[in-house]
Amino acid sequence: MTTFPPPSDFNGPHAASLAGCVDLHMHSCLSDGANTPEYLVEWAADLGLKAISLTDHDTTRGIKQAIRRGHELGVEVIPGVEISVKLSGGTFHLLAYYYNPDDTAFEATLREIAAKRETRNRKIVQALTEHGMPITYEEVLQEAGEAVVGRPHIAAVLERKGYVASRQEAFDKWIADDAPCYFEKDTFGPEQALRFVREHKAVPVIAHPIWLNRGGLDKTEEYLKQLKAWGLLGLEAIYPDHDEVWTAGLIEIAQRLGLVVTGGSDYHGGRTKPQVTLGHGEGGGFKVPATVLDGLQAARKVAREAA
Ligand code: AMP
Ligand code: FE
Ligand code: FE
Ligand code: ZN
């Protein structure tokens, strides 16, 4: 019998109330999460979640095993992936739902993009070395194991070698988006990413829209309007980092623009965002109602019917 970690203390009275809810954003050890896809499904079943989506960064590799386990346990597993999209001055994350798990061209393109990560990761390693923290790309690979190699693994190496006291310090001082050893990934631009997702008849949804970093809700709406013109179908309004104002504001924006609303915890596990629990987010009543599936399925229909 697997035992699952208890929800964080601050979930308090909400801890047992996830029956019939969903969680459409989480990571496994195939990207930067701590748990296997199967474990996430088992935990979701234990929590009473009706449906989940596994949304690893830039890879669909875990999805078939998650779906298989979901069949066994009666949890609907929606194919998902979280694609890194490049913007001038940063990145944003685009969720894609309901691609066909047998669509090998979809994964093949994601792999090409992932290969471009290597170029960028090597630049970061080089810059850190030049800043007096010699590390090698091999050490980073070793840290990543099977996972898509990324900054969290670089942070872990910096911590292990004693250059920083914690992984968070590694980000804050050296490799966060605005830090001296950061380099952008050469990946999809927004228009290209949306076209790619729609070509594969999947449903593109903006992950955690607050991190589009447009400033306030007004600016965010303007940008979402542009993304909608390029094929965007939804936005993740229900997200642990969104306070009530952002959640309500994004739901209104979705209604005005004709976008569907989704939600998820962005659970990673391990030492990444340890305050976030599967299904519960950061607690305090966070949960995603199963009604979001109605909208998502309507969007799926749109995605399939479009040429
Ligand atoms: P990468 O895809 O290699 O650019 O790494 C992105 C991942 O690094 C995110 O998914 C987070 O897990 C982590 N990350 C990015 N920025 C920060 C930050 N400022 N503090 C802590 N973790 C971060
Ligand atoms: Fe992540
Ligand atoms: Fe994300
Ligand atoms: Zn995520």
Side-chain angles (χ1 to χ4, degrees):
M1 259 305 273
T2 317
T3 49
F4 298 96
S8 316
D9 287 337
F10 35 76
N11 283 318
H14 305 281
S17 59
L18 285 181
C21 291
V22 302
D23 187 342
L24 303 180
H25 189 159
M26 66 189 67
H27 297 271
S28 78
C29 56
L30 294 174
S31 67
D32 56 346
N35 308 121
T36 64
E38 286 90 345
Y39 178 97
L40 294 171
V41 177
E42 288 160 17
W43 191 7
D46 198 61
L47 290 169
L49 291 171
K50 179 181 148 88
I52 63 164
S53 182
L54 175 64
T55 54
D56 277 320
H57 294 287
D58 305 309
T59 183
T60 65
R61 280 184 301 157
I63 207 65
K64 285 197 177 180
Q65 61 210 72
I67 289 173
R68 212 175 305 125
R69 196 72 185 116
H71 279 307
E72 289 164 4
L73 296 176
V75 178
E76 183 184 354
V77 177
I78 295 168
V81 62
E82 186 175 22
I83 303 172
S84 306
V85 180
K86 190 170 114 178
L87 284 176
S88 55
T91 56
F92 75 80
H93 288 166
L94 184 67
L95 294 160
Y97 292 114
Y98 286 123
Y99 56 81
N100 176 355
D102 291 318
D103 179 350
T104 50
F106 188 71
E107 172 69 14
T109 302
L110 292 174
R111 274 179 200 239
E112 273 173 41
I113 298 285
K116 292 184 181 174
R117 274 179 167 267
E118 178 174 339
T119 312
R120 171 277 201 154
N121 289 335
R122 284 182 183 278
K123 281 190 203 165
I124 296 179
V125 164
Q126 166 97 26
L128 289 165
T129 301
E130 283 165 9
H131 279 78
M133 293 161 283
I135 64 170
T136 66
Y137 191 65
E138 285 60 42
E139 288 170 315
V140 177
L141 283 183
Q142 204 171 10
E143 181 66 39
E146 266 203 279
V148 173
V149 186
R151 281 182 287 164
H153 308 115
I154 297 175
V157 173
L158 290 175
E159 184 195 34
R160 187 156 47 74
K161 298 190 89 173
Y163 298 136
V164 290
S166 67
R167 297 174 192 210
Q168 191 57 51
E169 186 186 320
F171 274 97
D172 296 343
K173 272 196 176 155
W174 301 111
I175 60 173
D177 289 12
D178 54 358
C181 298
Y182 173 71
F183 289 88
E184 273 176 28
K185 282 174 290 224
D186 181 14
T187 178
F188 289 123
E191 194 176 359
Q192 195 190 6
L194 285 158
R195 196 184 322 122
F196 165 68
V197 172
R198 293 298 299 272
E199 273 170 6
H200 290 269
K201 303 205 178 296
V203 177
V205 171
I206 288 293
H208 37 69
I210 193 169
W211 300 124
L212 285 170
N213 290 323
R214 295 277 131 179
L217 278 160
D218 288 355
K219 290 272 168 52
T220 302
E221 177 162 5
E222 260 172 54
Y223 190 56
L224 288 167
K225 204 181 276 181
Q226 173 66 71
L227 295 175
K228 154 116 186 168
W230 288 333
L232 184 69
L233 293 173
L235 56 86
E236 186 180 53
I238 308 169
Y239 187 80
D241 292 345
H242 295 156
D243 62 13
E244 280 171 32
V245 173
W246 269 86
T247 307
L250 287 166
I251 290 171
E252 278 172 30
I253 290 172
Q255 276 164 350
R256 273 197 294 275
L257 300 183
L259 296 167
V260 299
V261 163
T262 70
S265 67
D266 206 358
Y267 172 77
H268 283 69
R271 282 191 276 177
T272 307
K273 296 196 274 191
Q275 73 280 18
V276 171
T277 311
L278 190 73
H280 289 283
E282 292 185 24
F286 180 90
K287 56 184 173 183
V288 184
T291 47
V292 300
L293 294 180
D294 300 336
L296 197 55
Q297 273 148 18
R300 179 194 201 185
K301 221 164 151 235
V302 171
R304 297 230 161 153
E305 282 166 3

